[in-house]
């Protein structure tokens, strides 16, 4: 299964990366195992979001509307990826 590394820039991904870096520097974890952990993190995040997130949001300008609420924001950062690349 192909994955994207974009979840590593999330708060939990950055904390995981920092922790793995510390463990590698302290000698408690090999660099190879740290890489394997990050790859598994990428896979797990992709699978969890695909299986568990069912919400749909519509965006018009800077207004986000879901079934539960509507929110207008001053700034928006959208990170998108082609999910068809995950099935190749």
């Amino acid at each position: 299964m192909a994955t994207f590394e974009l979840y590593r820039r999330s708060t939990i991904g950055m904390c995981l990366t920092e922790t793995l870096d510390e463990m590698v520097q302290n000698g408690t974890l090999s660099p190879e195992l740290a890489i394997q952990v990050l790859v598994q993190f990428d896979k797990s995040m992709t699978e969890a979001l695909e299986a568990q997130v069912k919400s749909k949001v519509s965006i018009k300008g800077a207004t986000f509307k879901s079934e539960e609420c509507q929110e207008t924001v001053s700034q928006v950062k959208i990170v998108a990826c082609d999910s068809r690349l995950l099935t190749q």
Side-chain angles (χ1 to χ4, degrees):
M1 165 191 236
T3 58
F4 292 109
E5 296 178 5
L6 60 96
Y7 305 115
R8 293 184 193 183
R9 297 196 59 199
S10 66
T11 302
I12 192 169
M14 290 176 14
C15 289
L16 174 62
T17 302
E18 288 175 18
T19 302
L20 291 171
D21 285 344
E22 286 179 24
M23 293 176 77
V24 168
Q25 289 175 4
N26 292 337
T28 56
L29 193 67
S30 71
E32 296 80 16
L33 187 54
I35 300 269
Q36 288 179 1
V37 170
L38 286 173
V39 169
Q40 183 58 51
F41 171 76
D42 297 336
K43 289 178 183 177
S44 297
M45 286 296 293
T46 300
E47 290 170 1
L49 290 173
E50 183 178 333
Q52 298 177 14
V53 177
K54 303 296 180 202
S55 301
K56 296 202 186 259
V57 176
S58 63
I59 304 169
K60 186 174 185 180
T63 301
F64 291 76
K65 187 175 183 181
S66 69
E67 294 176 0
E68 297 89 28
C69 65
Q70 179 173 318
E71 186 77 30
T72 301
V73 295
S74 60
Q75 291 185 332
V76 177
K77 178 180 179 182
I78 298 175
V79 177
C81 54
D82 189 346
S83 64
R84 293 175 292 189
L85 296 174
L86 295 175
T87 59
Q88 294 178 349

